[in-house]
């Protein structure tokens, strides 16, 4: 049986409700919608670690952020992760006979690392203007360069909503889309391929091209969710302070609705531009004659609040940041199905391995989405970041942050997260259960995160002090302990 090709389309910071596939009437995304129409759309998909690098690292390794240790955008994988027994999904697929490729933004450190991808065309984060990646070289060859957001007229006044100084033909998302099409056109059909396409948009700055033939009107954008300052006051303060930093340099202390609507219109236009590129990639598969044997996965690392709760970007557990689009079409996925099961972003990792015929490592807490149906998804989503944790069971959502902000929401009756139920005695049993579950998950994750520092494993552990070698002066601690040598109690599986 011929293994399927895999095309993983992965725009940066795309919230689920800015796609018409999810019922949004103010935007039209027919090419992205076609993936849902021809496959499975997951209605309740979440990013457990809603920041770029933690979310992407969890995808690479198939484990949660505490286990791999990347809980912030300035953390990254230990250089010797392979010695600890871990493998990235492109490394595993390469051994299974796949040609692996990464187009666009991956957010690796160093930025030009391969991490198992055999072929890369690099167009990194829109906030990294000084990186001399493939996109920078393309611009320079055409007489252009990368621009910082604040080089654009009206950048500060419009809170990052600008018109790009570059024409659409030289926009970063078009560059990435065209690179993906070229890879498909040049691919030898005698060997399966797995290609991840990382669009840098619609991440801020919100900078659609002036000459793109479709623009959204701010007046047509949905209203933002109101802020309730007493719910998580420190999150709002931290969001303001972080965005004042040089990487963005925008002050959101005053964030009126007209500004939110303008940002949303620019964001929607960026989404429309990405929808065009998705259409071109799908057409390349059709032209090549390989669409029927290609698994197409569409998702995002996290969303963007776009003014909800007076917040911008991501980094906490409100819905606009953690709820993501996820749809899959191709062999093994039922056409036109809308699936309500609770699923998580890193479930894509096990799904990709399953598609390739590769064994899913025992230490994974990623679940394959093949055959998932209502009642067989996850029981809950545990959120994990450096500064906060979450437990969401599909109805009740607990937010906890190191600032002391603490919130409980009933998502069934309060989907906009307006009424903080902390302190309501009738909800004490629910709160106690969520707290207990969260503590157990964090403790188990910390246990695995430290496995490579163990001095011995198995039956040697308790008896280490009785070994003559240990008793001698000059005893040398062993090298890294591989996760593959650990028992199932340490490895753990997804809930």
């Amino acid at each position: 049986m011929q293994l399927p090709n895999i095309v993983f389309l992965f725009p940066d910071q795309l919230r689920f409700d800015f796609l018409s596939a999810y019922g949004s009437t103010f935007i039209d995304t027919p090419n992205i919608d076609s993936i849902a129409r021809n496959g499975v759309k997951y209605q309740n998909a979440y990013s457990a670690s809603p920041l770029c690098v933690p979310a992407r690292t969890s995808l690479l390794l198939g484990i949660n952020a505490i286990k791999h240790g990347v809980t912030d955008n300035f953390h990254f994988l230990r250089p010797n992760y392979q010695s600890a027994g871990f493998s990235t999904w492109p490394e595993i697929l390469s051994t299974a006979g796949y040609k692996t490729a990464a187009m666009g933004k991956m957010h690796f450190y160093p930025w030009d690392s391969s991490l198992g991808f055999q072929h890369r065309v690099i167009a990194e984060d829109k906030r990294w203007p000084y990186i001399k990646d493939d996109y920078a070289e393309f611009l320079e060859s055409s007489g252009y360069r990368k621009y910082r957001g604040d080089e654009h007229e009206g950048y500060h006044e419009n809170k990052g909503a600008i018109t790009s100084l570059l024409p659409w033909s030289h926009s970063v998302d078009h560059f990435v889309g065209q690179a993906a099409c070229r890879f498909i056109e040049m691919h030898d059909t005698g060997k399966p391929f797995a290609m991840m396409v990382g669009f840098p948009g619609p991440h801020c700055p919100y900078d659609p091209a002036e000459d793109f033939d479709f623009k959204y009107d701010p007046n047509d954008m949905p209203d933002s969710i109101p802020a309730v300052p007493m719910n998580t006051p420190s999150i709002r303060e931290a969001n303001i302070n972080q965005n004042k930093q040089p990487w963005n340099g925008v002050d959101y202390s005053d964030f009126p609705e007209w500004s939110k609507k303008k940002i949303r219109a620019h964001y929607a236009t960026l989404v429309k531009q990405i929808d065009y590129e998705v259409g071109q990639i799908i057409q390349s598969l059709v032209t090549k004659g390989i669409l029927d044997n290609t698994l197409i996965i569409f998702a995002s690392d996290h969303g963007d609040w776009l003014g909800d709760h007076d917040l911008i970007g991501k980094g906490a557990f409100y819905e606009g940041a953690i709820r993501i689009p996820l749809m899959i079409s191709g062999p093994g996925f039922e056409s036109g199905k809308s699936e309500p099961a609770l699923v998580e972003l890193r479930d894509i990792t096990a799904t990709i391995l399953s598609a390739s015929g590769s064994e899913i490592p025992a230490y994974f807490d990623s679940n394959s989405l093949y055959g998932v149906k209502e009642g067989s998804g996850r029981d809950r989503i545990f959120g994990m970041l450096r500064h906060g944790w979450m437990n969401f069971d599909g109805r009740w959502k607990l937010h906890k942050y190191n600032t002391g902000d603490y919130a409980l929401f009933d998502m069934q009756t309060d989907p906009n997260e307006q009424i903080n139920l902390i302190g309501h005695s009738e909800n004490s049993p629910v709160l106690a259960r969520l707290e207990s579950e969260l503590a157990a998950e964090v403790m188990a994750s910390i246990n695995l995160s430290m496995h490579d520092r163990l001095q011995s494993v198995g039956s040697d552990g308790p008896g280490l002090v009785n070994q003559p070698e240990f008793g001698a002066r000059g005893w040398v601690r062993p090298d890294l302990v591989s996760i593959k040598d650990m028992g199932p109690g340490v490895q753990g599986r997804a809930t």
Side-chain angles (χ1 to χ4, degrees):
M1 180 179 175
Q2 186 178 6
L3 292 171
N5 303 302
I6 299 169
V7 174
F8 182 11
L9 304 170
F10 201 57
D12 189 2
Q13 201 158 302
L14 174 58
R15 54 188 281 169
F16 82 103
D17 56 357
F18 270 66
L19 297 174
S20 47
Y22 284 87
S24 299
T25 58
F26 62 89
I27 191 169
D28 182 32
T29 50
N31 297 306
I32 296 171
D33 293 1
S34 72
I35 303 171
R37 187 170 59 251
N38 295 313
V40 179
K41 176 184 66 179
Y42 296 89
Q43 299 174 22
N44 294 297
Y46 286 86
S47 177
S49 300
L51 283 172
C52 295
V53 183
R56 291 162 183 267
T57 306
S58 290
L59 269 174
L60 276 174
L61 294 184
I63 55 177
N64 73 43
I66 291 178
K67 291 177 180 177
H68 58 61
V70 181
T71 60
D72 187 88
N73 271 348
F74 297 103
H75 298 162
F76 202 57
L77 282 175
R78 64 194 93 184
N80 57 349
Y81 69 91
Q82 293 170 319
S83 298
F86 295 111
S87 299
T88 66
W89 69 258
E91 289 170 340
I92 295 172
L93 261 62
S94 294
T95 64
Y98 274 75
K99 171 73 173 179
T100 57
M103 307 297 174
K105 174 180 174 176
M106 297 292 121
H107 217 139
F108 295 161
Y109 297 115
W111 58 267
D112 55 352
S113 300
S114 68
L115 292 177
F117 287 109
Q118 300 164 11
H119 176 68
R120 287 198 67 188
V121 176
I122 307 174
E124 260 306 336
D125 194 288
K126 291 165 72 175
R127 293 297 187 178
W128 294 358
Y130 302 114
I131 286 181
K132 299 297 183 181
D133 54 18
D134 298 306
Y135 177 57
E137 293 176 1
F138 164 73
L139 290 178
E140 289 171 8
S141 71
S142 305
Y144 294 105
R145 65 175 176 87
K146 294 182 181 182
Y147 294 97
R148 299 188 315 275
D150 60 7
E151 293 183 83
H152 295 76
E153 183 179 355
Y155 177 76
H156 294 286
E157 301 92 312
N158 294 308
K159 311 291 187 182
I162 53 178
T163 298
S164 177
L165 292 170
L166 295 169
W168 172 71
S169 61
H170 287 70
S171 65
V172 66
D173 290 325
H174 186 60
F175 173 81
V176 171
Q178 291 298 295
C181 291
R182 284 193 298 272
F183 178 84
I184 293 169
E185 292 162 5
M186 299 296 292
H187 179 69
D188 177 3
T189 55
K191 182 178 184 179
F193 71 85
M195 175 175 62
M196 184 171 179
V197 184
F199 293 107
H203 192 290
C204 65
Y206 308 105
D207 58 348
E210 175 65 36
D211 60 339
F212 187 70
D213 63 1
F214 195 97
K215 295 180 178 63
Y216 283 99
D217 187 331
N219 294 320
D220 295 332
M221 294 296 103
D223 294 338
S224 65
I225 294 173
V228 181
M230 68 182 67
N231 281 347
T232 52
S234 298
I235 296 301
R236 163 77 170 139
E237 181 181 1
N239 189 248
I240 292 170
N241 292 336
Q242 195 225 9
N243 279 281
K244 287 180 181 178
Q245 299 302 312
W247 70 272
N248 193 13
V250 175
D251 187 354
Y252 292 97
S253 301
D254 178 33
F255 202 1
E257 189 67 18
W258 71 262
S259 179
K260 297 173 184 177
K261 291 286 188 77
K262 185 174 182 64
I263 287 171
R264 288 172 175 232
H266 282 235
Y267 180 90
T269 304
L270 287 172
V271 174
K272 188 71 173 178
Q273 292 179 192
I274 291 171
D275 184 72
Y276 172 85
E277 302 303 332
V278 169
Q280 295 296 295
I281 292 169
I282 293 173
Q283 184 57 49
S284 293
L285 294 169
V286 172
T287 302
K288 192 74 172 180
I290 58 175
L291 177 64
D292 289 344
N293 193 44
T294 298
L295 195 69
I296 302 177
I297 303 170
F298 185 94
S300 186
D301 50 355
H302 48 75
D304 188 325
W305 290 307
L306 301 175
D308 286 349
H309 311 286
D310 277 349
L311 300 170
I312 195 75
K314 68 283 183 182
F317 301 111
Y318 285 110
E319 289 285 283
I322 67 171
R323 194 168 175 188
I324 58 170
L326 174 54
M327 51 192 82
I328 306 178
S329 67
F333 287 86
E334 183 180 343
S335 179
K337 182 181 180 184
S338 185
E339 177 52 60
L342 194 63
V343 300
E344 211 272 303
L345 173 64
R346 69 178 178 276
D347 291 338
I348 291 171
T349 315
T351 306
I352 288 174
L353 296 194
S354 295
S356 72
S358 302
E359 182 179 353
I360 298 176
Y363 60 80
F364 263 36
D365 56 19
S366 169
N367 295 330
S368 174
L369 294 172
Y370 280 98
V372 165
K373 57 186 178 180
E374 187 172 10
S376 67
R378 290 177 176 265
D379 296 326
R380 58 192 62 81
I381 304 291
F382 292 108
M384 296 178 177
L385 289 171
R386 174 185 59 81
H387 59 278
W389 299 337
M390 176 195 75
N391 186 2
F392 175 49
D393 67 4
R395 175 179 177 179
W396 303 96
K397 186 196 288 185
L398 174 66
H399 298 233
K400 296 189 72 173
Y401 301 99
N402 64 3
T403 58
D405 286 357
Y406 190 35
L408 173 67
F409 299 107
D410 181 350
M411 301 300 294
Q412 188 175 96
T413 61
D414 180 27
N416 289 335
E417 295 169 280
Q418 300 286 284
I419 304 169
N420 186 355
L421 299 174
I422 295 292
H424 292 222
S425 59
E426 64 271 24
N427 297 307
S428 296
V430 171
L431 179 60
R433 174 178 61 82
L434 294 174
E435 286 275 23
S436 177
E437 293 170 351
L438 180 60
E441 182 71 9
V442 170
M443 289 177 184
S445 298
I446 290 174
N447 189 28
L448 185 141
S449 74
M450 298 295 179
H451 83 272
D452 60 312
R453 304 173 199 187
L454 293 172
Q455 304 310 303
S456 59
V457 297
S459 61
D460 290 341
L464 183 66
V465 295
N466 294 318
Q467 296 174 9
E469 295 85 356
F470 175 72
R473 290 186 183 275
W475 175 78
V476 178
R477 61 179 290 182
D479 291 333
L480 290 179
V481 173
S482 172
I483 186 63
K484 296 173 183 176
D485 296 329
M486 302 302 298
V490 173
Q491 291 180 1
R493 290 293 297 169
T495 56

